[in-house]
Amino acid sequence: MRRLLRGLGLYLLIILLPACNPQASSPDAVRVRWVRDPESLNPLTIPNDLANQAIGLLYQNLLTVDNQKKVWVPWLAESLPTVQYQDSLTLLTYRLRSAATWDNGQPIVAQDVAFTLKIMNLPGLPNEVARTTFSFIQDVRLDSTDTRQFTLVCRGRAPEFADVSGDYPILPEYALDPKRQLRTIPLTVLTQPNPISLSKYPGLAAFVKRYNAANLDKSPMNLPGSGPYELASWRSGQALTFRRKTNWWADRLPVQQHPLVAKPKQIEFQIIPDNATALLALRRGDIDLFPMVPANEFDRLRTSEGGKKTLQFYTADSYEMVLAGFNTSRVPLNDRLTRQALSYLFDIPALIKATQNGMAYPSVGLINPQEKALYNDSLPLLKYAPQRAEMLLKQAGWMRQSTGSWAKPLAGGQSQALELSIAYRAGDSTFETIALQLRNAAAQLGIPIQLRPTESTLLLGKLRTGNFDIYLRTLSGNPFAYDFSPLLHSSSIDISNFTRFGTPTSDKLIKAIVREENPAQKAQLLRKFQVIMRTESPVVVLFFYRYRLAADRELTNLRVSGLRPGYDVTTIEPLPES
């Protein structure tokens, strides 16, 4: 396998060097290394963090996050929403910025927000994750005296509603629905628990067909956005180039400040899967920014004379974690004692050293240790303990066979063998090391684990359909909201809850955490949640990354932080000439 990977690295070096040719780049471009394609730029789906970063250049949300101050700030909205409570409802009133327009000069109005919310709930579109994430938004009330003002009617009461309610791209009604057919259908019809039938509204079926035919996954230029950039080109597997608009609406504001700034005239994301090739491009000056430099190379570069002269280096404790998840619907893994046993086979300190050169930190669960008020430090960190794992397997009813393998007796004289597989994104050296370590540790106990490296474009489908036993992935968190519904609530099974875990107790606790307004009470609920997750073990958090960035020394204003992706590409500019 390692010989094959080295061969692939040489092959990629040969085919990717042209993509890193500085002659093909604008002198005003900021060139960033990406490890893979974003897969899709459809603003309804946003399949991964790379896609999210790119979509943020094309479209704008009502709100966004100031990554350095770690606070929500208005983006298309002129301010954070005002909050009112009406019985069991939360009313959030927004007003859009008066200067905000689409590229054709048409103002961005409340009807665009209502339109966006409708297509986020319209059956027949790829909006399953959006529909689930924003299911608390029940209706939108337009202001008859102000076309830019509206009120979101939210089911229930939760402090996070004020932030999350503005965290989705606003799309132009005029471009997708020029005849305004969706205006005749109230949002409440689309947000009801049982999806409507398109046959009841003939215009909807035509709209769904038109939206899907636009092929926004690969052709976002078919849908204009309010963001400062447009996609100039996308060479699949090689590069995405974004060109700054000459008529962006925010340029007319008297004062430009974050997040309404866009300094680079061109942004190029160079797709270089192989780390050796990417490091060569960095040293040659073919790329300007290398996020998440491999740990050993990062240390080597920042202590070398050449690195000191041409590059600058940044680190930040992040909210991005690496975790393993168990498919709790599979017979070998539907028992929590079995999942606990397997959790003790990860040698986390050794993995941090091997994959991150020590530049990562462990956690007892999904809460970042930096959030001291919420982090349950009474729980011990997981330790590599094969003997403990063996004891738990026996408690779970597994019996050691004469061959050294394990089996569990079933009804009718049948038996279930303890044989597993682990799926992860192919080509990721961190995941490969973790999978190999787990496989070797399990083999010593007589548990065979097959490695299933999978192309990223296929892995999501495998996880959604449950065609796996164990998976490895990264997950980006934040210090603002603690809604674990998409990840672990039973209502998200087949959508984004890949572990298929969910019990009445855990579901109730997840909802209680979201609704709780008192910070002290929320902290107690989150500590209880961490205990339940340790007991049930649907996921194992292996470590949180420490971001490592290397950038051209002539660049400034990267706004490095621990929030994904670790920098702000729109604020980067050259150092002023001395």
Side-chain angles (χ1 to χ4, degrees):
M1 171 62 83
R2 294 186 184 278
R3 184 176 301 167
L4 173 62
L5 289 174
R6 285 199 293 271
L8 283 174
L10 178 60
Y11 174 71
L12 289 169
L13 176 62
I14 294 171
I15 67 171
L16 284 173
L17 281 178
C20 303
N21 187 346
Q23 295 178 353
S25 300
S26 163
D28 298 315
V30 172
R31 302 160 300 171
V32 183
R33 184 265 180 128
W34 269 4
V35 71
R36 66 185 192 280
D37 261 324
E39 299 176 23
S40 167
L41 295 185
N42 188 329
L44 273 188
T45 57
I46 314 183
N48 53 56
D49 287 319
L50 298 180
N52 188 53
Q53 187 179 359
I55 287 169
L57 301 175
L58 303 170
Y59 309 97
Q60 293 174 289
N61 302 353
L62 297 172
L63 309 176
T64 189
V65 169
D66 185 314
N67 63 339
Q68 287 196 317
K69 296 179 180 179
K70 298 181 182 179
V71 295
W72 286 92
V73 293
W75 201 1
L76 267 181
E78 66 179 14
S79 63
L80 300 179
T82 59
V83 182
Q84 292 180 296
Y85 296 111
Q86 188 178 89
D87 299 324
S88 61
L89 301 177
T90 301
L91 306 180
L92 303 171
T93 300
Y94 284 91
R95 191 178 189 281
L96 298 166
R97 294 180 186 267
S98 299
T101 62
W102 301 111
D103 293 342
N104 66 353
Q106 188 170 322
I108 301 173
V109 295
Q111 284 283 8
D112 292 305
V113 178
F115 168 77
T116 301
L117 289 168
K118 288 177 183 179
I119 66 172
M120 286 163 57
N121 288 276
L122 189 60
L125 296 180
N127 55 14
E128 296 86 357
V129 174
R131 181 183 177 96
T132 301
T133 303
F134 301 99
S135 61
F136 62 90
I137 301 178
Q138 193 173 28
D139 196 11
V140 56
R141 298 174 183 171
L142 305 181
D143 191 314
S144 60
T145 63
D146 187 344
T147 59
R148 293 184 185 266
Q149 186 159 301
F150 59 93
T151 298
L152 300 179
V153 180
C154 304
R155 186 186 300 108
R157 297 174 60 164
E160 282 87 355
F161 285 175
D163 301 327
V164 181
S165 64
D167 191 25
Y168 45 87
I170 303 302
L171 307 179
E173 180 190 43
Y174 81 88
L176 287 170
D177 191 18
K179 295 183 179 180
R180 300 178 175 180
Q181 291 175 303
L182 264 62
R183 288 197 184 187
T184 62
I185 302 170
L187 180 60
T188 50
V189 172
L190 300 173
T191 57
Q192 61 186 354
N194 298 317
I196 66 167
S197 171
L198 291 179
S199 61
K200 294 179 61 177
Y201 299 91
L204 290 186
F207 175 85
V208 169
K209 184 177 180 180
R210 189 165 62 250
Y211 185 97
N212 289 330
N215 188 28
L216 299 182
D217 288 2
K218 298 295 182 181
S219 305
M221 62 285 292
N222 292 336
L223 179 60
S226 63
Y229 293 88
E230 57 190 359
L231 182 66
S233 68
W234 183 351
R235 291 174 289 151
S236 183
Q238 295 185 45
L240 286 83
T241 300
F242 292 83
R243 185 186 302 117
R244 196 189 189 286
K245 296 174 182 175
T246 57
N247 62 339
W248 185 41
W249 67 266
D251 291 336
R252 298 187 290 272
L253 295 175
V255 178
Q256 279 85 33
Q257 58 186 14
H258 187 270
L260 294 174
V261 296
K263 297 293 185 180
K265 293 184 179 180
Q266 188 163 298
I267 298 171
E268 298 176 7
F269 295 109
Q270 300 283 355
I271 300 167
I272 313 176
D274 181 65
N275 282 327
T277 308
L279 286 164
L280 176 61
L282 180 68
R283 290 195 293 266
R284 286 174 41 172
D286 293 347
I287 57 174
D288 304 305
L289 177 61
F290 190 151
M292 284 305 287
V293 180
N296 289 333
E297 294 297 334
F298 185 79
D299 280 339
R300 188 177 298 118
L301 271 176
R302 64 178 174 176
T303 56
S304 69
E305 289 303 316
K308 291 176 183 178
K309 287 180 181 179
T310 61
L311 301 170
Q312 51 190 336
F313 303 90
Y314 306 89
T315 61
D317 288 345
S318 83
Y319 288 83
E320 184 176 356
M321 68 195 84
V322 174
L323 59 80
F326 300 115
N327 185 348
T328 63
S329 67
R330 290 280 180 99
V331 174
L333 298 170
N334 61 359
D335 175 81
R336 69 185 185 187
L337 292 177
T338 303
R339 300 192 296 267
Q340 288 177 22
L342 294 169
S343 301
Y344 283 104
L345 297 182
F346 290 101
D347 192 343
I348 294 175
L351 289 172
I352 289 176
K353 183 177 180 180
T355 67
Q356 308 300 311
N357 203 22
M359 285 183 277
Y361 47 102
S363 174
V364 301
L366 293 162
I367 305 298
N368 193 301
Q370 297 180 70
E371 304 303 312
K372 298 187 183 302
L374 310 178
Y375 181 74
N376 194 336
D377 53 6
S378 66
L379 288 171
L381 291 170
L382 276 175
K383 293 183 179 180
Y384 177 62
Q387 291 181 337
R388 172 72 172 158
E390 186 171 2
M391 182 185 70
L392 287 167
L393 289 175
K394 292 176 180 178
Q395 290 181 17
W398 297 99
M399 301 177 64
R400 200 74 177 259
Q401 307 300 294
S402 58
T403 59
S405 61
W406 297 81
K408 181 184 289 188
L410 301 176
Q414 301 296 313
S415 65
Q416 170 69 50
L418 184 55
E419 300 174 350
L420 303 167
S421 65
I422 182 166
Y424 54 92
R425 187 173 65 242
D428 190 302
S429 59
T430 294
F431 291 159
E432 182 181 352
T433 300
I434 295 169
L436 286 169
Q437 185 270 309
L438 177 64
R439 185 184 70 175
N440 294 339
Q444 293 179 25
L445 283 186
I447 305 170
I449 297 182
Q450 299 296 319
L451 306 189
R452 296 283 187 265
T454 307
E455 291 298 324
S456 58
T457 53
L458 303 176
L459 183 58
L460 182 60
K462 178 177 285 192
L463 297 182
R464 281 184 173 168
T465 58
N467 186 23
F468 70 96
D469 293 320
I470 308 170
Y471 71 85
L472 299 173
R473 67 174 295 199
T474 59
L475 183 69
S476 296
N478 63 65
F480 315 111
Y482 293 93
D483 183 0
F484 297 102
S485 300
L487 185 68
L488 290 164
H489 197 280
S490 59
S491 64
S492 298
I493 293 174
D494 296 328
I495 300 173
S496 53
N497 179 357
F498 304 138
T499 66
R500 287 161 166 72
F501 171 79
T503 68
T505 299
S506 64
D507 284 353
K508 183 178 179 181
L509 182 57
I510 286 170
K511 291 299 184 184
I513 290 169
V514 174
R515 291 193 300 265
E516 184 55 57
E517 299 179 53
N518 183 287
Q521 290 297 320
K522 185 183 285 287
Q524 289 301 315
L525 292 173
L526 282 167
R527 286 172 173 264
K528 182 179 179 181
F529 174 75
Q530 291 165 81
V531 172
I532 290 177
M533 289 300 102
R534 171 60 64 85
T535 302
E536 296 290 347
S537 296
V539 296
V540 179
V541 175
L542 302 175
F543 52 81
F544 281 80
Y545 283 121
R546 181 164 290 124
Y547 283 152
R548 306 175 295 271
L549 289 84
D552 189 293
R553 182 166 285 280
E554 298 302 315
L555 296 181
T556 187
N557 294 338
L558 278 70
R559 292 177 61 87
V560 173
S561 79
L563 296 176
R564 186 77 178 174
Y567 59 94
D568 189 340
V569 72
T570 64
T571 62
I572 297 176
E573 55 187 337
L575 281 170
E577 295 184 6
S578 56

